[in-house]
Amino acid sequence: MGEFNEKKTTCGTVCLKYLLFTYNCCFWLAGLAVMAVGIWTLALKSDYISLLASGTYLATAYILVVAGAVVMVTGVLGCCATFKERRNLLRLYFILLLIIFLLEIIAGVLAYVYYQQLNTELKENLKDTMAKRYHQPGHEAVTSAVDQLQQEFHCCGSNNSQDWRDSEWIRSGEAGGRVVPDSCCKTVVAGCGQRDHASNIYKGGCITKLETFIQEHLRVIGAVGTGIACVQVFGMIFTCCLYRSLKLEHY
């Protein structure tokens, strides 16, 4: 009877080991995906960050990059802990899983909270940013972001093209007779912003289009963060089961 119990425990441990190993392989790939989403946000979708007053959007992307990198390291550690049957490594693995879980929940919560606040922030700050920082010394990133925004989304100004009347650059005389930036033009050529007729420039504002763009990416960040965090719950359960099984066998 004792031999049967010992064999039964051993078989259960083996099953848990292979289950946790399979989980870690998937977990490693998930970490790669999380880090890729974070890098994608920072490298390809961060052109408009300089137009945002809050750093929350940037923070969520950095959290995903860090969490993804830690996930990949943790996945390798989990495989080593599983096959070497080292309880101290399993404890470390569980702690890392818990830390990553918290990081991704934080990223998801930040994305959700900022999603709710984005409309108010853009209404309060986008027009002011365009008026006071466009083509001003030390604000080259804002100038580049505004030009790209207006060309990419076929818009002009925050609410409409009339917003540019309050621009410090337009008022200073350095605009060379332009009433809107050249990036408002449907066909961009030097000096085309001197004529603000509807046949020449885009009349609609950029605020709604920028809000939609950022909200779409916040949804991706939030979904990835909370989705992977939920998957980690299973990893923590498997780890606890294997740890308990090894502890029983040890005694």
Side-chain angles (χ1 to χ4, degrees):
M1 189 71 174
E3 290 180 1
F4 175 76
N5 287 335
E6 183 178 352
K7 184 177 180 180
K8 183 178 179 182
T9 304
T10 303
C11 289
T13 302
V14 170
C15 289
L16 281 171
K17 281 172 61 177
Y18 281 102
L19 188 60
L20 193 55
F21 177 79
T22 303
Y23 170 84
N24 278 312
C25 291
C26 297
F27 191 52
W28 189 90
L29 293 174
L32 183 62
V34 169
M35 189 165 65
V37 169
I39 292 173
W40 168 72
T41 302
L42 292 173
L44 301 178
K45 305 298 178 182
S46 63
D47 301 315
Y48 307 129
I49 287 176
S50 58
L51 301 178
L52 303 176
S54 170
T56 308
Y57 181 68
L58 190 62
T60 55
Y62 276 121
I63 288 174
L64 284 186
V65 172
V66 172
V70 177
V71 163
M72 295 177 71
V73 174
T74 303
V76 175
L77 175 64
C79 290
C80 295
T82 301
F83 280 99
K84 289 187 177 182
E85 298 185 1
R86 299 284 297 275
R87 286 183 295 157
N88 57 338
L89 286 179
L90 283 173
R91 280 196 296 267
L92 177 60
Y93 175 67
F94 180 86
I95 291 169
L96 288 175
L97 278 181
L98 185 60
I99 291 171
I100 299 164
F101 175 81
L102 294 174
L103 280 175
E104 289 173 342
I105 287 295
I106 289 171
V109 169
L110 283 176
Y112 176 77
V113 170
Y114 191 54
Y115 184 93
Q116 303 299 319
Q117 298 175 345
L118 182 61
N119 180 267
T120 302
E121 178 185 316
L122 289 177
K123 283 181 178 179
E124 291 177 352
N125 297 292
L126 185 59
K127 182 179 178 180
D128 191 59
T129 298
M130 287 181 167
K132 295 182 178 180
R133 298 184 184 179
Y134 185 79
H135 261 302
Q136 299 302 308
H139 296 294
E140 290 77 13
V142 171
T143 302
S144 176
V146 169
D147 285 338
Q148 183 173 338
L149 174 68
Q150 295 186 143
Q151 275 297 294
E152 184 174 346
F153 293 111
H154 298 169
C155 56
C156 185
S158 177
N159 300 299
N160 53 60
S161 60
Q162 301 300 314
D163 289 343
W164 286 108
R165 292 179 177 179
D166 299 323
S167 167
E168 292 184 3
W169 175 65
I170 296 293
R171 289 178 170 182
S172 68
E174 296 178 5
R178 294 176 179 85
V179 289
V180 295
D182 291 344
S183 56
C184 284
C185 298
K186 296 178 179 178
T187 302
V188 178
V189 294
C192 65
Q194 295 174 352
R195 180 170 167 267
D196 63 351
H197 192 271
S199 62
N200 183 52
I201 68 168
Y202 301 110
K203 287 290 188 175
C206 299
I207 187 168
T208 302
K209 296 179 179 180
L210 178 59
E211 180 184 359
T212 301
F213 173 84
I214 294 175
Q215 283 181 338
E216 287 174 355
H217 292 93
L218 286 173
R219 281 196 291 268
V220 172
I221 291 172
V224 169
T226 53
I228 299 300
C230 291
V231 172
Q232 285 175 237
V233 173
F234 293 100
M236 288 188 279
I237 292 172
F238 294 152
T239 305
C240 289
C241 291
L242 181 58
Y243 182 87
R244 184 173 180 276
S245 179
L246 292 174
K247 189 175 181 179
L248 289 174
E249 286 188 4
H250 180 74
Y251 291 111

